[in-house]
Amino acid sequence: MCREVSIEVFRYDPGTDSSPSWRKYEIPFEEKNTVLGALLFIQEKLDPTLAFRYGCRYNRCGLCSLEVNGKPRMSCHSYLEEGMRLGPLSKLPLIRDLVVDRKGLFQDLAKYELFIEKNTDNTVIFEPEQGAKLRGCAECLSCLAACPKYSFGSDDFGGPFLFVKLAQLHFDPRDKKDRIEQAHSLGINLCQDCKKCYCPNGINIYRDAISTLLKVKKND
Ligand code: SF4
Ligand code: SF4
Ligand code: FES
């Protein structure tokens, strides 16, 4: 008989439930089952009302991020284990179950002009290695959930995701805006240097984005 693992999943629909709860599910276990695979199994076989997001299933789109035992992870890139607790990303407003509001955050970020102005020059661009590493950001927002200083809706501290975006632009030779100044106006100097901004895509956020932007300012 197939082995099963027991996991708990956060359930809450603010429209109908009086309070959140953790629901237990038994999932058939195979080596290298992913957390996303378990969620799909629940939705297909046990409980079609479970809400969660995913897209590429390959660590690229960033949509499947959630918290595994309180730590931000991508569900398509995390292996299933006995006793796991799966919850929504903290720090972002909850829509339902494992789904958080990403749209509000991205609408809010639009005011920071995180793009390169139209450039008619077609010269091939070579950017530094650090810039290329930062391009691996899948916009999963895990780093925000992990950051003790970040608070959604507050303008005091932009948060690690925004600082990664600013550092990407800072390293891009085509960008003409002063992203260092912008990072400082968004409170980068309030970073607690705790290095808790974990990135499931392997970006060293503190070293390659935050401390780099801070250092450049100091050496100006
Ligand atoms: S830097 Fe990493 S953790 Fe933060 S949004 Fe990008 S991929 Fe996700
Ligand atoms: S190092 Fe700074 S940005 Fe990263 S988690 Fe800590 S306070 Fe947040
Ligand atoms: S489903 Fe796209 S990153 Fe996981």
Side-chain angles (χ1 to χ4, degrees):
M1 207 176 107
C2 176
R3 188 184 143 203
E4 289 193 331
V5 294
S6 173
I7 62 170
E8 286 183 295
V9 182
F10 178 89
R11 301 301 307 267
Y12 185 47
D13 182 346
T16 54
D17 301 337
S18 54
S19 59
S21 62
W22 291 93
R23 211 168 294 169
K24 217 175 228 189
Y25 298 98
E26 310 293 327
I27 314 283
F29 182 78
E30 280 172 37
E31 211 60 37
K32 306 229 163 140
N33 263 12
T34 61
V35 169
L36 177 60
L39 294 174
L40 289 165
F41 178 84
I42 294 170
Q43 202 182 52
E44 212 174 291
K45 307 274 188 204
L46 307 175
D47 187 348
T49 66
L50 175 65
F52 57 96
R53 276 204 186 99
Y54 71 101
C56 66
R57 303 192 195 193
Y58 192 63
N59 213 27
R60 289 288 175 270
C61 70
L63 292 175
C64 68
S65 47
L66 43 64
E67 291 192 5
V68 176
N69 301 333
K71 297 201 165 55
R73 297 285 181 263
M74 284 199 207
S75 72
C76 71
H77 202 58
S78 307
Y79 293 125
L80 184 66
E81 284 173 20
E82 168 67 32
M84 274 180 159
R85 273 197 142 195
L86 310 180
L89 282 188
S90 50
K91 302 286 176 89
L92 294 172
L94 181 74
I95 294 179
R96 199 180 117 201
D97 298 336
L98 301 174
V99 178
V100 293
D101 181 7
R102 293 169 54 91
K103 203 168 149 201
L105 180 92
F106 282 98
Q107 271 168 353
D108 193 46
L109 293 185
K111 65 184 176 226
Y112 301 123
E113 301 185 351
L114 302 173
F115 52 81
I116 297 163
E117 272 172 30
K118 200 165 183 231
N119 192 337
T120 46
D121 181 1
N122 287 328
T123 319
V124 177
I125 300 298
F126 294 100
E127 63 180 345
E129 197 188 334
Q130 260 172 310
K133 278 186 195 155
L134 293 167
R135 291 221 172 274
C137 173
E139 304 192 340
C140 72
L141 309 181
S142 295
C143 49
L144 291 182
C147 173
K149 185 72 190 152
Y150 175 74
S151 163
F152 180 79
S154 159
D155 284 337
D156 297 347
F157 184 69
F161 173 61
L162 182 49
F163 298 140
V164 166
K165 292 282 147 200
L166 292 176
Q168 278 177 354
L169 290 160
H170 167 75
F171 286 118
D172 192 317
R174 297 167 300 175
D175 188 52
K176 303 290 175 246
K177 289 198 168 65
D178 187 344
R179 302 299 180 174
I180 297 162
E181 203 52 56
Q182 210 179 352
H184 280 78
S185 72
L186 288 162
I188 196 169
N189 56 316
L190 299 175
C191 169
Q192 297 172 349
D193 302 336
C194 65
K195 304 183 181 76
K196 287 184 180 161
C197 32
Y198 166 81
C199 171
N201 257 10
I203 295 175
N204 190 328
I205 297 175
Y206 184 79
R207 186 193 63 200
D208 290 337
I210 295 172
S211 75
T212 300
L213 291 174
L214 283 166
K215 236 185 269 162
V216 176
K217 179 77 174 177
K218 279 178 202 152
N219 295 342
D220 263 351

